[in-house]
Amino acid sequence: MEARFSILFSSFYYKKALKSGLWLVWLCGIFLICVSFYATLLLPKKQKVFYDGPKITLYTAPRAFTGLIGERQTLAVRSWLGLSENIDVVLFSQDPSVFSLGESLGSRVLVEPNIDFTFLGTPFFHSMVARSLASSSDVSVLVDPDTIILSDFVSTLNYAHKLDEDWLLIAATQNISHFPFHLDSSGRRWLTDDGKHIGIKKLQEFLSQRSCGKLFGEGMIIAWNNGDLPLHKGILPPFLYGKGLHNQWLVTEAMNSDFRLVIDASSTISSFYLHDLHQESCILSRSWELNGNSLLGMLYGSFSFRKANYSGVLMLFEYGGHYLFVNKNQHIAYKPGYKRSLNLWKKGVSLSPMEEEKQGCLDSIKSLEETEGRLANEQSRLWNPITLSFSLENLLSIRADQNKTIVLGVAGYSYKDMLMSWVCRLRHLQLSNFLVCALDTEIYEFSIMQGLPVIKFLNPPTNISFDDCHFGTECFQKVTKVKSRMVLQILKLGYNVLLSDVDVYWFENPLPYLRSFGPAVLVVQSDEYNTAGPINLPRRLNSGFYYSHSDTITIKALEKVVKHAANSNFSEQPSFYDTLCGEGGSNRLDDNQCVEPETNLLVHFLNRDLFPNGAYGGLWEEKDIKNICTDKGCLILHNNWISGRKKKLERQVLSGLWDYDINTRMCLQTWQRSDIPGYF
Ligand SMILES: *[C@@H]1O[C@H](CO)[C@@H](O)[C@H](O)[C@H]1NC(C)=O
Ligand SMILES: *[C@@H]1O[C@H](CO)[C@@H](O)[C@H](O)[C@H]1NC(C)=O
Ligand SMILES: *[C@@H]1O[C@H](CO)[C@@H](O)[C@H](O)[C@H]1NC(C)=O
Ligand SMILES: *[C@@H]1O[C@H](CO)[C@@H](O)[C@H](O)[C@H]1NC(C)=O
Ligand SMILES: *[C@@H]1O[C@H](CO)[C@@H](O)[C@H](O)[C@H]1NC(C)=O
């Protein structure tokens, strides 16, 4: 409209100008130029949508979004989203409050529950990093959930993205007590109390006056480009997130591995958190978690506690709109151009007075000393044994489902990978009411490190050595007797127990079916290998998978089994059969049931099409066990009827009925095996 009007307007004057002089033509022209200039001013704002900087994804594991912690985390996440349209956020959590917050913040926030968590809900750092590495984002960033980030972060990453190297960038975060500005509703601008906009320079000034001490540690920001080179050599240990050391470990290993350029951008990235909150989170961490991380730091990689040393890292500075690298050791500044190789940087120029000033500031960053002090403390704590401070009663009340049912897995150290695959499978089926009974100290500590709810069987009856404790051995006989004693103890505490050996693969959750038999029935797997005929013949009871209801009849009957087993020279399996079904099967009722005459306990042998043992139907010889079993409607499949730990493990891993990555110590997740068809 405006333009058309101006044309009419100008043509009117043009006629007049023919008479009155050419100067009016000029006036008119200037007017048109003004109109078009105004129009071009409007354009860049619209074009911002198509801004083509790197795609950046921030990863964090927030706590529940409630109270003050929730408010701070919300502010932090909004501050990230407001930095650029190119920023996405992934929140690792299984908490409902995080899901609802994620929804309210829009499509750029994703909540990812499919990584490994401890049973208390603490995420595993190695699993978070693996998930980040699997992303297609140009730049991945790990950040604490309450760290507020300012806009110089984006310009720094844009700069780094243009470097011709793969890099890992770290930035220390500042600890302040008060931040008097508010984020506006768009999340893009910081405002004063009276609504005035505060620019980045003013914010940087404010932060630099508040504290002299940016700290590396739990709060540090770690970013890397999606490049060809790995971050570090070796394997990231299963550190617990937010319990110390994992960031230092990652950075130290990245430097030692020398794959990537490690950049310290503490000076060009402004970020901070409010410290009252931080202290609260420290109280929440448990000593065994810190101990666990310390121990892992020692066991894996070249990380050594006294040598956390960031002094070899190139520091990045911004000066007069240009970026500049400073080598802290050699007091040399580098001015790398874009698309130039690292080698050229070695032509260092000496520091100008202004840059010397920056060097002074750099020295005040206390990272090294602080970190070393912390690490030495960690080390002194190492010698405390790792224990979980929960009693059996505590664990049961935390873990049991609403019907007071617990799934009990019993394992010794030689079955640790089997145990983990079993646990990963249960997690995949979204079952959380399981508990692990540890037969030895090694598996007990291993389980704690893997975040499992574990209870140590006091007085393990024997020395459970690595390879020799399989079916038929004396060790095996003794170990299996632990299981019934443990089950009895839990039944007496008022909980129903599904005992499952860890070599039982679960296709589906069998509990609804097993529960349907009601009280005073012991529901057991049959070990019968003949396809036809009765399934409850003598000694065909498999005591590696049974469901027992917590009632007086079941408890009395199981007491008889435990007593019988204690006086027997065999494993507890025959004791189960001989006590409940009678020697030679004298208490058999029909082809799949027995009744123990003294207690009236009914023993029901499970249909083998639903609960096949390792010999039934030659299932383990099939190539595509997973599909065949799914078609048949199997709920579980027992990996028994095979001798030797290694053969058993091999058979299960090769069959694909396996949910755990032995190398990285992580559950296999859908985002890792989306290429495998039929994974469910
Ligand atoms: C943050 O600052 C407060 C007060 O200055 C201090 O008490 C606290 O220990 C600091 N936290 C860290 C992690 O340095
Ligand atoms: C840190 O490493 C550098 C070499 O990168 C070395 O010169 C320096 O002595 C080390 N500092 C400490 C405290 O170990
Ligand atoms: C508890 O039992 C009821 C009735 O059998 C069932 O409907 C419900 O799903 C069970 N709860 C759980 C968590 O399994
Ligand atoms: C356990 O086994 C080891 C070696 O096989 C042996 O030296 C040790 O005495 C055994 N301990 C017990 C309590 O049997
Ligand atoms: C167990 O073995 C011991 C010695 O080998 C023997 O004396 C005892 O009678 C056996 N007990 C049973 C119940 O078979």
Side-chain angles (χ1 to χ4, degrees), residues 426-498:
L426 263 58
R427 283 183 185 158
H428 195 85
L429 295 171
Q430 300 192 324
L431 281 162
S432 57
N433 59 330
F434 64 86
L435 206 62
V436 174
C437 173
L439 293 175
D440 53 46
T441 308
E442 289 82 0
I443 194 75
Y444 180 70
E445 291 190 348
F446 174 85
S447 300
I448 291 176
M449 305 281 236
Q450 296 281 323
L452 308 183
V454 60
I455 196 83
K456 198 155 144 184
F457 190 79
L458 305 174
N459 317 320
T462 184
N463 229 347
I464 301 147
S465 74
F466 205 74
D467 280 318
D468 301 336
C469 200
H470 52 77
F471 187 82
T473 61
E474 189 190 340
C475 167
F476 182 86
Q477 289 166 18
K478 287 182 177 165
V479 163
T480 57
K481 289 178 191 175
V482 170
K483 298 197 284 190
S484 51
R485 281 153 70 190
M486 198 71 209
V487 170
L488 184 58
Q489 199 178 338
I490 297 174
L491 288 176
K492 284 180 173 170
L493 290 168
Y495 295 86
N496 313 314
V497 184
L498 168 53

Side-chain angles (χ1 to χ4, degrees), residues 299-414:
L299 294 177
Y300 287 77
S302 50
F303 185 73
S304 143
F305 287 95
R306 299 205 180 277
K307 284 185 196 158
N309 180 351
Y310 299 151
S311 64
V313 180
L314 278 182
M315 302 206 63
L316 186 66
F317 287 101
E318 191 246 299
Y319 178 54
H322 297 282
Y323 286 95
L324 186 79
F325 282 103
V326 175
N327 181 322
K328 195 181 167 190
N329 284 340
Q330 294 154 26
H331 293 255
I332 289 176
Y334 300 87
K335 287 178 179 163
Y338 296 161
K339 305 282 169 202
R340 225 187 289 163
S341 92
L342 228 189
N343 299 339
L344 290 178
W345 298 353
K346 289 193 173 140
K347 295 182 189 165
V349 292
S350 57
L351 297 172
S352 75
M354 189 62 186
E355 286 151 1
E356 291 282 9
E357 201 179 292
K358 297 251 181 203
Q359 178 72 32
C361 160
L362 179 160
D363 288 337
S364 76
I365 295 177
K366 293 178 287 182
S367 63
L368 187 64
E369 297 77 359
E370 291 279 351
T371 309
E372 284 190 332
R374 284 266 283 286
L375 295 179
N377 280 338
E378 301 291 350
Q379 198 174 29
S380 66
R381 279 194 251 175
L382 260 179
W383 312 113
N384 304 330
I386 294 170
T387 56
L388 199 58
S389 50
F390 289 96
S391 65
L392 177 61
E393 286 85 345
N394 274 338
L395 277 180
L396 288 170
S397 68
I398 298 172
R399 300 292 290 175
D401 69 8
Q402 74 206 65
N403 295 325
K404 294 192 87 177
T405 300
I406 202 88
V407 177
L408 186 70
V410 185
Y413 192 67
S414 58

